[in-house]
Amino acid sequence: MKIRRSERLIDITHYLLERPHTLIPLTFFAKRYESAKSSISEDLGIIRRTFATRGTGILETVPGAAGGVRFIPTISEEEAKQFITEMTVRLAEQSRLLPGGYVYLSDLLGQPEVLRQVGRLIATQYVDQKIDAVMTVATKGVPIAQSVSMYLNVPFVIVRRDSKITEGSTVSVNYVSGSSERVEKMELSKRSLPRGARVLVVDDFMKGGGTVNGMRSLITEFEAELVGITVFAESTFDGPRAIDDYTALLSVDKVNSQSDTIHVKAGNYLQRAFKH
Amino acid sequence: MKIRRSERLIDITHYLLERPHTLIPLTFFAKRYESAKSSISEDLGIIRRTFATRGTGILETVPGAAGGVRFIPTISEEEAKQFITEMTVRLAEQSRLLPGGYVYLSDLLGQPEVLRQVGRLIATQYVDQKIDAVMTVATKGVPIAQSVSMYLNVPFVIVRRDSKITEGSTVSVNYVSGSSERVEKMELSKRSLPRGARVLVVDDFMKGGGTVNGMRSLITEFEAELVGITVFAESTFDGPRAIDDYTALLSVDKVNSQSDTIHVKAGNYLQRAFKH
């Protein structure tokens, strides 16, 4: 049975969206729909233009016998800006204020549509770099790491503060927790990261940068390479940070427990991701 | 500028896939593409048929003034079977065997394409039921909960074994850990689950069922309702389980540390999800 163009366009779109950053040969589609390669080529041209117009992402063409197409999800600067503005409002909600000046984030980071956008934003920032794995620390960084990993189509690894029997042999490092100044320990399963892997570190919240700095040490222990650090939100911190080269989507400027207000502004993401 | 059908089909497909279980009025698309509602209706008919043929999911039509279309992602029995068979092979890899008869799973549950399929499988099982939230326990259940939540388009909540200052007030319960027979404690942020919420519990691995039973108690404490329990893998357990009504994608039959072999078979998922 021959498949019509309209059906092909729908199914190719679905197929590509489920497999970001994966090279798919034209012959695969030609066979799947029993269509000529020239027709598939035309289909892909229409999809490429639509994806570009709508800001869905880039459909890259790799020429040659071993070539094909590769879908690279991105977000437009406009959509990114809109999302960040929306988040500054939501983060500043008074009901988020917890004792000690902490901000409640778990509801936002448990919402699929928020996580989808966070994943798209962070993946867009690293679109030109080779990344082999996304790293985060348990528990609250996990949803962010997973979302980024979906859009980059690479695995994510979870660093833990507590030892678990189900992780096998681990490599551990000590780090100074910025907020408490205590020396703590974090570890990662030995088999989770190959030597030389290029690693992107993500986390939900950064204050002094101690936790992120611990992950940096772990990456060194694994003889892997740190590509970048992006956090959902940073907060103002008195004194030197353990980390200075990082990206934050949001910046919690000041938490005032007296007046029960949270000041939130955009972080440096837009400048960094869109190279201003 | 008028948008051609081919471009509409691509963009509608993308729009729907990103927003599962969301009712979208025809007028939204008509406005987005400056097209007649009758054209949009035809587009949606083509998408509905293609999604059905390819096993992408169901495009539901809700008639009337407040109506529209709703995309419900599902997986076909054939694709589900294929994925489970593939997983039985991967889980049985000798290198997964850890001291004490544990099985290393973290690599699989950190791979986006594995998590996508796990999410689609579990979401398909509950496609006819109203679900308000997905619940799991930190840390290893989180990726599964997130994936299911993406396909059901509902939030997920994370129960913790350790108290965190960033969760605000919590409700805690004690539970008997099946493997160690110890009484432990788990807790959930008070604001994370509204009364009456219909909750789906997921986890990575179930032995005695103690952890899942703890989550059941928590749901009762929140005056919420348990809709179902699905785990990625169960393992054989000597003695009565704390939980008997549950679904498992995989069943780790026997871990033999002497001969270094792991026996894995399909769990009861296929029977339960496809009502045999």
Side-chain angles (χ1 to χ4, degrees):
Chain A
M1 191 189 69
K2 257 266 171 84
I3 309 286
R4 294 176 49 197
R5 161 146 297 155
S6 53
E7 293 172 50
R8 287 200 311 260
L9 291 174
I10 295 162
D11 193 56
I12 294 176
T13 299
H14 172 241
Y15 196 91
L16 292 169
L17 292 173
E18 293 260 295
R19 289 162 189 80
H21 289 269
T22 307
L23 186 68
I24 300 154
L26 261 60
T27 46
F28 170 83
F29 290 125
K31 211 176 152 191
R32 185 175 170 102
Y33 311 119
E34 298 176 34
S35 302
K37 271 178 78 172
S38 56
S39 308
I40 299 294
S41 233
E42 282 174 48
D43 296 346
L44 293 168
I46 303 170
I47 294 173
R48 178 178 304 112
R49 284 193 299 277
T50 307
F51 278 7
T53 315
R54 297 282 165 184
T56 307
I58 302 156
L59 192 62
E60 207 178 64
T61 306
V62 180
V69 288
R70 189 186 279 131
F71 168 59
I72 298 163
T74 58
I75 198 164
S76 69
E77 186 171 355
E78 196 192 325
E79 207 182 334
K81 207 177 276 180
Q82 195 189 321
F83 175 75
I84 286 177
T85 306
E86 196 191 309
M87 284 298 117
T88 57
V89 176
R90 297 211 50 192
L91 247 68
E93 289 160 0
Q94 218 182 65
S95 60
R96 297 193 176 280
L97 198 61
L98 297 175
Y102 288 91
V103 180
Y104 184 75
L105 289 179
S106 298
D107 61 329
L108 288 177
L109 299 181
Q111 275 173 32
E113 68 277 16
V114 172
L115 289 169
R116 256 193 212 104
Q117 291 295 65
V118 171
R120 275 179 78 194
L121 260 82
I122 300 177
T124 298
Q125 188 189 353
Y126 298 98
V127 83
D128 295 327
Q129 304 200 49
K130 189 184 170 295
I131 288 171
D132 299 310
V134 180
M135 176 187 276
T136 195
V137 70
T139 300
K140 290 203 297 186
V142 177
I144 294 175
Q146 178 168 352
S147 242
V148 176
S149 114
M150 291 271 168
Y151 284 98
L152 291 178
N153 210 23
V154 298
F156 63 94
V157 298
I158 304 173
V159 176
R160 309 184 61 123
R161 292 194 181 87
D162 55 336
S163 189
K164 278 291 257 187
I165 208 162
T166 48
E167 292 300 303
S169 319
T170 60
V171 173
S172 77
V173 296
N174 294 315
Y175 69 101
V176 181
S177 167
S179 34
S180 62
E181 288 277 336
R182 273 184 316 193
V183 176
E184 304 196 43
K185 192 175 169 175
M186 56 166 71
E187 57 190 350
L188 180 62
S189 173
K190 213 165 174 179
R191 51 180 105 191
S192 64
L193 213 57
R195 190 182 297 175
R198 292 175 54 84
V199 182
L200 167 62
V201 169
V202 301
D203 208 354
D204 63 326
F205 206 79
M206 183 165 120
K207 233 172 162 173
T211 307
V212 169
N213 205 28
M215 287 194 265
R216 187 159 66 177
S217 310
L218 258 180
I219 291 171
T220 307
E221 283 300 325
F222 275 85
E223 295 177 49
E225 210 179 316
L226 175 66
V227 179
I229 299 162
T230 296
V231 299
F232 179 67
E234 62 171 338
S235 82
T236 42
F237 182 70
D238 294 329
R241 271 210 170 88
I243 294 283
D244 49 12
D245 186 15
Y246 65 91
T247 306
L249 271 53
L250 297 153
S251 177
V252 178
D253 207 22
K254 199 185 270 173
V255 175
N256 190 329
S257 312
Q258 245 84 52
S259 66
D260 271 8
T261 49
I262 309 172
H263 290 266
V264 184
K265 57 181 187 188
N268 62 355
Y269 170 82
L270 291 168
Q271 287 81 44
R272 290 191 146 217
F274 298 99
K275 313 263 158 32
H276 290 305
Chain B
M1 188 192 68
K2 255 266 170 75
I3 308 287
R4 292 176 51 198
R5 161 146 298 154
S6 52
E7 293 172 50
R8 288 201 310 259
L9 291 174
I10 294 162
D11 193 57
I12 295 176
T13 299
H14 173 240
Y15 195 90
L16 293 169
L17 291 173
E18 292 259 296
R19 289 161 189 82
H21 290 269
T22 307
L23 186 68
I24 300 153
L26 260 60
T27 47
F28 170 82
F29 289 125
K31 209 174 154 194
R32 185 174 171 102
Y33 309 119
E34 298 177 34
S35 302
K37 271 177 77 172
S38 57
S39 308
I40 300 294
S41 233
E42 280 175 49
D43 296 347
L44 293 168
I46 302 170
I47 293 174
R48 178 178 304 111
R49 283 193 298 278
T50 307
F51 278 7
T53 315
R54 296 282 165 184
T56 306
I58 301 157
L59 192 62
E60 207 179 64
T61 306
V62 179
V69 288
R70 188 186 280 132
F71 168 58
I72 299 162
T74 58
I75 197 165
S76 69
E77 186 172 355
E78 196 191 325
E79 208 183 331
K81 207 177 273 180
Q82 196 188 319
F83 175 74
I84 287 178
T85 305
E86 197 190 310
M87 284 298 118
T88 57
V89 175
R90 298 210 49 191
L91 247 68
E93 288 161 1
Q94 219 182 66
S95 59
R96 300 194 174 278
L97 198 61
L98 297 174
Y102 288 91
V103 180
Y104 184 76
L105 289 179
S106 298
D107 61 329
L108 288 176
L109 299 181
Q111 275 173 31
E113 68 278 17
V114 172
L115 288 170
R116 257 193 211 103
Q117 291 295 66
V118 170
R120 274 180 79 195
L121 260 82
I122 299 179
T124 299
Q125 188 190 352
Y126 297 98
V127 82
D128 296 326
Q129 303 201 48
K130 187 182 172 297
I131 289 171
D132 299 310
V134 180
M135 175 187 276
T136 196
V137 71
T139 299
K140 292 203 297 183
V142 178
I144 294 174
Q146 179 168 353
S147 240
V148 175
S149 114
M150 291 271 168
Y151 283 99
L152 291 178
N153 209 24
V154 297
F156 63 94
V157 300
I158 304 174
V159 176
R160 309 184 62 124
R161 293 195 181 86
D162 55 335
S163 190
K164 279 290 257 186
I165 208 162
T166 48
E167 292 300 305
S169 319
T170 61
V171 173
S172 78
V173 295
N174 294 315
Y175 69 101
V176 181
S177 167
S179 34
S180 62
E181 289 278 336
R182 273 183 317 195
V183 176
E184 305 197 42
K185 192 174 168 174
M186 56 166 72
E187 56 190 351
L188 180 62
S189 172
K190 211 163 174 182
R191 50 180 105 189
S192 64
L193 213 56
R195 190 181 298 175
R198 291 177 54 83
V199 182
L200 167 62
V201 168
V202 301
D203 208 353
D204 64 326
F205 205 79
M206 183 166 120
K207 234 172 160 171
T211 307
V212 169
N213 205 28
M215 287 194 265
R216 188 159 66 178
S217 310
L218 258 180
I219 290 171
T220 307
E221 283 300 325
F222 275 85
E223 295 178 50
E225 209 179 317
L226 175 67
V227 179
I229 299 160
T230 296
V231 298
F232 179 66
E234 62 170 339
S235 82
T236 42
F237 184 69
D238 295 328
R241 270 208 170 89
I243 294 283
D244 49 11
D245 186 16
Y246 65 92
T247 306
L249 271 52
L250 297 153
S251 176
V252 178
D253 207 23
K254 201 186 268 173
V255 176
N256 190 330
S257 313
Q258 245 85 51
S259 65
D260 271 5
T261 49
I262 309 171
H263 290 266
V264 183
K265 57 182 188 188
N268 61 355
Y269 170 82
L270 291 168
Q271 287 83 46
R272 288 190 147 218
F274 299 99
K275 312 264 160 30
H276 289 304

